[in-house]
Amino acid sequence: MASDVEANAAAEASEEKNWRRKGKHDKEKPWDEDPTIDRWTVEKFDPSWNEGGLLEVSSFSTLFPQYREKYLQDAWPIVKGALKEFGVSCELNLVEGSMTVSTTRKTRDPYIILKARDLIKLLSRSVPAPQAIKVLNDEMNCDIIKIGSIIRNKERFVKRRERLLGPNLSTLKAIEILTGCYILVQGNTVAAMGTFKGLKQVRRVVEDCIKNIKHPVYHIKELLIKRELAKNPALATESWDRFLPNFKKKNVKQKKPNTKEKKQYTPFPPPQQPSKIDLELESGEYFMSDKKKSAKKWQDKLDKQSEKSEEKKRKREAAFVPPKVRISSCIFSVGFSFACVVTKSCYGFQENTQSTKTTGDNNGIADIAKSLKKKAKKLRNSEAQENVKIESYVASNEESHSKKKHKSSSM
């Protein structure tokens, strides 16, 4: 009997093992290879699939900033009407500054409450109500990217956020066209609406821009190339890496921090600096009376004041020092063989072969030369008159009288 029981138990165990065999239900179905069936399509929800409704009430609430209060108060009837079609109730609490959505007995779609949660999130992030209501459709999804906590420096954060927007929002519009998503940059978040594929691309572009990994323009170039490659069915099963550009990041040289040179380690302490009393002992002030010490201090103060006053006076007088006039060779000789030669005159200027001389400077030098010649001529005439001897004058007069007498006698 015992042997029969053991045999039955072993048979049951083997049957259980066969029953739990892995992949037992992985058999080919007739609809697996049906080419008419598109498995990626999202079928629209039919209320007949859930006629009994939901058993429990689900609700979500979110806060909104104070500056959105007026807009939400005006646009709330539109939001309420859109949610009423799906059997979802909504409440706007202006005292607490919150929005709440919850299911009702009329709710049939169990996933619509998550769509309603996304709707109030988008409204709190400054997305317009007509655009935010589109998230209730099955094809539309949303993603709110938090960028405020990625970087701490506020100035860098603002610059990189502006880089994402571009001049006149051109960069943002290009990303919207290529990804097929609606993007709104507001404060510390980026709200995006679109397909799952587009939202994934938008998140990558935004995070790379804020982290300073890659500029949005490079992402735009990649997306343009991918869109053109997707049109070619021959490249559907091939890798596109050979067509995509490789952008290398250039490391900008930063200022090196001023690091102090490490001194060589010595086990001995530095020499002790002399104290104030030691310095007074060296100079002899320690043994002086208080009256002499005060007199010495006063004298030192006066000496320092006089030095500073002289230095200031020298600086003031430097502005009134006339320019130097240098005459290289000027020869004056007095007498009958007086000669004056002016070879060169310079009025405080140095010769420079590279600089061109102006006509004003040439005229000034010529005037100086003329005035020097006139003064030399006057000096020569005056000294010549003083040096005339009386004897020569008398001799010349006698010669002239003798000539006259000789002429008269001959006649």
Side-chain angles (χ1 to χ4, degrees):
M1 291 291 290
S3 63
D4 294 339
V5 173
E6 289 176 359
N8 291 332
E12 288 177 2
S14 63
E15 284 179 4
E16 284 181 4
K17 285 181 182 178
N18 292 334
W19 182 259
R20 293 174 184 175
R21 165 171 98 249
K22 192 174 182 179
K24 182 176 182 296
H25 299 286
D26 294 346
K27 295 179 181 179
E28 293 183 359
K29 311 297 191 294
W31 55 82
D32 285 347
E33 296 180 0
D34 190 358
T36 59
I37 298 172
D38 187 6
R39 292 170 184 79
W40 292 101
T41 55
V42 179
E43 295 182 10
K44 192 175 181 181
F45 181 79
D46 190 0
S48 62
W49 296 350
N50 187 17
E51 292 180 355
L54 304 176
L55 299 176
E56 296 289 338
V57 176
S58 301
S59 63
F60 292 98
S61 63
T62 184
L63 300 173
F64 60 87
Q66 192 175 3
Y67 63 85
R68 291 286 292 170
E69 184 177 329
K70 185 71 173 67
Y71 177 79
L72 290 173
Q73 199 171 0
D74 296 339
W76 198 248
I78 302 168
V79 178
K80 197 171 184 178
L83 290 171
K84 192 175 181 180
E85 294 178 5
F86 297 94
V88 178
S89 66
C90 58
E91 183 186 353
L92 178 66
N93 192 340
L94 298 175
V95 178
E96 295 179 359
S98 64
M99 293 179 285
T100 308
V101 289
S102 58
T103 57
T104 60
R105 291 181 180 179
K106 296 181 180 179
T107 308
R108 295 291 179 266
D109 188 359
Y111 191 72
I112 196 66
I113 188 64
L114 300 177
K115 292 277 189 179
R117 177 199 64 184
D118 295 341
L119 171 61
I120 58 175
K121 276 185 180 180
L122 291 170
L123 288 171
S124 66
R125 295 316 307 151
S126 301
V127 177
Q131 178 65 34
I133 288 168
K134 293 179 183 178
V135 81
L136 297 174
N137 299 330
D138 291 337
E139 299 83 10
M140 188 68 69
N141 301 285
C142 78
D143 188 13
I144 295 173
I145 307 159
K146 294 179 181 179
I147 58 175
S149 59
I150 293 174
I151 186 169
R152 291 184 179 180
N153 193 331
K154 192 174 181 181
E155 293 179 1
R156 288 183 184 176
F157 171 73
V158 171
K159 283 182 181 178
R160 291 177 190 178
R161 190 176 61 183
E162 288 176 357
R163 189 187 301 169
L164 183 65
L165 297 172
N168 298 324
L169 303 177
S170 58
T171 308
L172 193 70
K173 287 176 184 175
I175 296 167
E176 284 182 345
I177 292 165
L178 292 169
T179 57
C181 297
Y182 170 82
I183 305 169
L184 179 70
V185 181
Q186 175 68 24
N188 294 331
T189 58
V190 177
M193 294 174 62
T195 60
F196 283 116
K197 186 179 178 181
L199 292 174
K200 190 177 179 181
Q201 291 172 344
V202 169
R203 178 172 277 276
R204 186 185 168 197
V205 172
V206 170
E207 287 181 351
D208 285 358
C209 178
I210 301 299
K211 290 178 181 177
N212 200 25
I213 295 171
K214 191 184 287 187
H215 199 279
V217 173
Y218 297 146
H219 279 291
I220 290 167
K221 288 182 180 179
E222 284 184 2
L223 292 170
L224 283 168
I225 293 166
K226 285 179 180 178
R227 189 172 69 171
E228 293 299 321
L229 292 171
K231 294 177 183 177
N232 190 355
L235 298 171
T237 57
E238 295 182 13
S239 178
W240 293 351
D241 292 339
R242 56 197 172 105
F243 301 107
L244 298 175
N246 293 323
F247 300 106
K248 293 181 180 179
K249 187 178 178 181
K250 294 180 180 178
N251 292 325
V252 181
K253 291 183 179 179
Q254 297 180 352
K255 290 182 179 179
K256 293 182 179 179
N258 295 327
T259 55
K260 294 181 179 179
E261 295 180 358
K262 291 184 179 180
K263 296 179 179 179
Q264 191 175 2
Y265 173 73
T266 55
F268 305 103
Q272 188 176 1
Q273 297 296 324
S275 63
K276 191 176 180 181
I277 297 169
D278 294 336
L279 294 172
E280 288 180 355
L281 286 167
E282 287 180 5
S283 60
E285 292 181 18
Y286 185 78
F287 304 103
M288 294 169 68
S289 61
D290 294 338
K291 193 174 182 180
K292 288 184 179 179
K293 283 182 181 179
S294 61
K296 189 180 180 183
K297 283 182 181 179
W298 179 251
Q299 188 61 35
D300 293 342
K301 192 176 181 180
L302 291 174
D303 293 340
K304 286 181 181 179
Q305 286 179 356
S306 62
E307 286 178 5
K308 286 184 179 179
S309 61
E310 285 177 5
E311 189 177 351
K312 287 179 181 179
K313 189 177 179 181
R314 208 181 304 115
K315 286 180 180 179
R316 286 197 299 271
E317 290 177 351
F320 301 101
V321 174
K324 294 180 181 180
V325 178
R326 187 180 62 192
I327 301 171
S328 62
S329 62
C330 184
I331 303 167
F332 295 95
S333 62
V334 180
F336 294 104
S337 62
F338 177 79
C340 177
V341 180
V342 179
T343 57
K344 188 178 179 183
S345 70
C346 177
Y347 190 69
F349 292 96
Q350 294 181 351
E351 292 181 359
N352 190 0
T353 55
Q354 294 180 356
S355 62
T356 57
K357 294 182 179 180
T358 58
T359 55
D361 295 339
N362 292 332
N363 293 333
I365 293 166
D367 294 339
I368 292 165
K370 284 180 183 179
S371 63
L372 288 171
K373 285 180 181 179
K374 285 179 181 178
K375 289 177 181 179
K377 193 173 181 180
K378 285 179 181 179
L379 185 62
R380 182 182 61 197
N381 292 334
S382 61
E383 289 183 352
Q385 289 175 3
E386 288 175 2
N387 291 331
V388 173
K389 293 181 181 180
I390 297 169
E391 294 175 358
S392 60
Y393 182 77
V394 172
S396 61
N397 285 336
E398 287 178 356
E399 286 176 0
S400 61
H401 284 295
S402 63
K403 285 180 181 179
K404 285 178 181 180
K405 287 178 182 180
H406 182 68
K407 283 180 180 180
S408 61
S409 64
S410 62
M411 290 179 72

